[in-house]
Every structure is written in C-alpha cells, then in structure tokens.
Amino acid sequence: MISSSGFVDRLLAGITRSSLLQPRSLFSTTSSSLKAKLPHEKIRYVPNVKELKLGSYTPESQRTGVIARKKGMTGMWDEWGVRVPVTVLQLDRVKVVSLIKTSNPSYARIQVGCGIRKDKHMTKPLLGHFKSQGVEPKAKLFEFPITPDAALPVGTEITAAHFVSGQLVDVTAPSLGKGFQGVMKRWGFAGGRASHGNSLAHRTPGSTGNINPGRVYPGKKMPGRMGGKNVTVLRLPVMKVDTALNCIWVKGSVPGYDGQFIKVRDSIKLSRHRLFPEGVDVPFPTYVPGESPLLPRETVAKVGGRDPLVPTSD
C-alpha cells in the first residue's frame, strides 16, 4: 500500500501514477547504455582491400579455399606410365562474396560463393546480402579462414589457376548417406556365430553394458543412421590443372555424390610433406590475369623418383 505522503512526494517530482505501477526494466536498449554496460565488447576487424594485387607467399600465409563441384572419377597416367585414379572437380563461377569481421587483427575470414541461382529461388535476406555486396546470387556459400595478407576484394573470381599441379589439398564434403544400418556395417562388428547354438543373434551387437551403473554410456557404438556427415580427406595431390575447363584433377576419391559441392583448400597438416612442389611460383593471393605468368591450358604434376616399372636388382 502506497502512503499518501509518499505519493504526493512522487507527484511533486514529476512522476505519474502510471509509471509507478509499471516496473522499470533493468536493461536498456539504447546504444549509449549498451556501450556503458558492455565495456568488454570486442572490436571487430576486417581487411581493407580495394583492388587485387599480386603478393609474395610466405610459409605463414594461408590462402583462401574454393567451392568446386564433383564431376566424377576417371584415370590418368603419370610420366612413368602408371595409371592413377583421379576425381575431377570443376570451379563453377567461384567469386568472393564478402569479408567477415573478426575479433583478431591477425585472423580473417572470407566468404566464397559458387554457381548461380535465380532471384525467385532465394530468400529475401540472402538476396539482400548479395545485392549489398554487388554479387549475383550464388547457389552455395562457404567461409574460409585466411591471413590478412591473403584477403581478396569482393567480386574477385577464383579460377582453377589458383591451384598448382603437384600441390596438396584438403577436401571436405558430406559423405554418401547409407540410411539406418546395423553395427556390423556401421562399426565393423564381428557379429555372432553362424551356427552351434546361435539362434537369431547372428548380426546383433551383443551386450551394451553391465548391471552397474545400469545404463548405457553416451557414445556407445550401436545401430543408427550411417553417413551423411562432413568428411575431410587430407593431403590429396593435385595431378592436373585445366584452365580452359576450369577443372582440377585430384588423386584418389572425394566424399559425396556427383554434382556435390566440395570445399577445397590448401593442406594444413604438413609435418613431413611439402605443400607446393619445390621451385614453383605460387599464385598469391590468387591467380591475377594480366599480372601472373601466362599458363598453358593443362599443367600435369611430376611424380618424380625412379621408374617403378623397371625391375630392381636385389
């Protein structure tokens, strides 16, 4: 109950009765009050890149990755005549969409888009994002971590000449979905015995734990959905680069189905490997037409070593 004297005092102070009955919020939405209440707010950094220029590559530099589309697998022959299985990846109108702000001045992120998509198939927020950056709508967007010296201006097109034949790359894509599978297919369990007393327990997982603590531990290998998750394959050599078709040939298999969007970047785990072949001119931050050296249509990697088809004398 509000006393009459206190109520009169509040009226003299210029406060209405309605403001007394409504509780005041402890949080304010004004920008000045937010800055006053959040002194620990981090400053955001973004590289200031106006035009595309060639730079010098250093071992500490980290270039941007690209988005490619898996076209399928085939084979090629190296300089020794040995057949090598390869996966063809095509760069379909890959462009830089935006530069992402970060809280670390020595760390940056770049957003890259691939393909093309009609305006009627885009959401309004995403369509506004593309229009604000001056880039046509893309079918797929990904972000890649880079160093500030490897930043690219918005709208820069990245071609297959971004990669060098013989270098190592890491590829990331969702694996093929296998559906709901048992433990023998999903985890490689041995299963039960085929006969001799086994009845209807040939492919069962067996025991899932003991009576104490009377529950199943989290992470227990059991039947469930298999595949359909991001898989990264490390250190795949680039066997060939085709600048006319805008394709790269990568040794080995790549996760995903034909037509899948694949993230391709320079390898990062290189304890006993070289990222680029010795003496090669690395396009940094990417291949710049008119400034970078002219390239032939196809460049094929050199395996090196000795001829494996010649028998050795032991």
Side-chain angles (χ1 to χ4, degrees):
M1 189 68 181
I2 302 176
S3 61
S4 58
S5 60
F7 182 71
V8 173
D9 295 337
R10 287 178 174 81
L11 284 178
L12 295 177
I15 303 177
T16 61
R17 183 176 178 82
S18 59
S19 62
L20 291 175
L21 299 177
Q22 296 178 359
R24 281 195 171 188
S25 175
L26 299 178
F27 301 95
S28 178
T29 57
T30 60
S31 58
S32 58
S33 60
L34 285 177
K35 291 181 180 179
K37 292 183 179 181
L38 298 176
H40 59 280
E41 186 178 3
K42 295 181 180 180
I43 303 176
R44 300 297 178 180
Y45 301 91
V46 60
N48 186 13
V49 184
K50 298 300 182 181
E51 57 181 2
L52 181 60
K53 293 182 179 180
L54 281 179
S56 57
Y57 175 79
T58 61
E60 291 77 21
S61 301
Q62 186 176 0
R63 305 190 305 165
T64 179
V66 301
I67 309 173
R69 302 202 73 165
K70 181 179 178 180
K71 291 299 180 180
M73 292 195 67
T74 182
M76 60 176 295
W77 285 261
D78 59 13
E79 69 265 28
W80 303 114
V82 177
R83 188 177 186 275
V84 180
V86 294
T87 303
V88 182
L89 304 177
Q90 186 178 31
L91 281 68
D92 182 17
R93 289 166 285 190
V94 179
K95 284 188 177 182
V96 177
V97 177
S98 66
L99 295 172
I100 310 300
K101 295 182 180 180
T102 60
S103 58
N104 190 347
S106 60
Y107 171 81
R109 295 187 69 85
I110 190 170
Q111 189 182 55
V112 178
C114 175
I116 198 76
R117 183 169 290 181
K118 295 182 180 179
D119 294 354
K120 64 179 182 179
H121 297 152
M122 303 290 296
T123 61
K124 288 186 178 180
L126 198 56
L127 188 60
H129 171 65
F130 286 114
K131 288 185 177 179
S132 65
Q133 300 296 332
V135 182
E136 64 273 11
K138 294 296 181 180
K140 199 69 174 179
L141 290 176
F142 281 125
E143 293 182 14
F144 295 94
I146 59 172
T147 50
D149 58 344
L152 297 171
V154 174
T156 302
E157 184 174 2
I158 306 175
T159 61
H162 180 76
F163 297 97
V164 179
S165 58
Q167 78 163 94
L168 302 179
V169 295
D170 298 339
V171 295
T172 303
S175 60
L176 293 176
K178 305 293 184 180
F180 196 96
Q181 298 297 332
V183 291
M184 293 184 67
K185 181 179 178 65
R186 191 184 185 196
W187 303 110
F189 281 19
R193 300 185 63 175
S195 61
H196 294 284
N198 193 347
S199 299
L200 305 179
H202 306 285
R203 301 181 65 87
T204 58
S207 175
T208 57
N210 54 13
I211 198 172
N212 187 14
R215 63 186 180 91
V216 179
Y217 287 113
K220 177 67 177 175
K221 294 180 179 180
M222 300 181 73
R225 181 172 294 181
M226 180 180 177
K229 296 182 179 180
N230 270 349
V231 177
T232 301
V233 184
L234 304 176
R235 295 187 295 272
L236 294 181
V238 176
M239 299 301 298
K240 185 169 70 171
V241 177
D242 192 329
T243 57
L245 298 178
N246 214 18
C247 295
I248 59 174
W249 275 252
V250 177
K251 182 180 180 180
S253 61
V254 171
Y257 54 86
D258 291 350
Q260 173 73 52
F261 290 101
I262 311 291
K263 297 172 65 175
V264 187
R265 64 177 183 181
D266 298 339
S267 292
I268 56 176
K269 293 186 178 180
L270 302 167
S271 58
R272 296 185 299 272
H273 305 81
R274 294 181 60 93
L275 176 58
F276 297 100
E278 189 174 359
V280 72
D281 188 11
V282 180
F284 185 82
T286 187
Y287 182 82
V288 182
E291 297 186 16
S292 301
L294 293 177
L295 298 176
R297 171 176 175 174
E298 294 182 355
T299 55
V300 183
K302 298 294 183 181
V303 178
R306 61 187 305 274
D307 192 348
L309 303 180
V310 176
T312 58
S313 57
D314 295 334

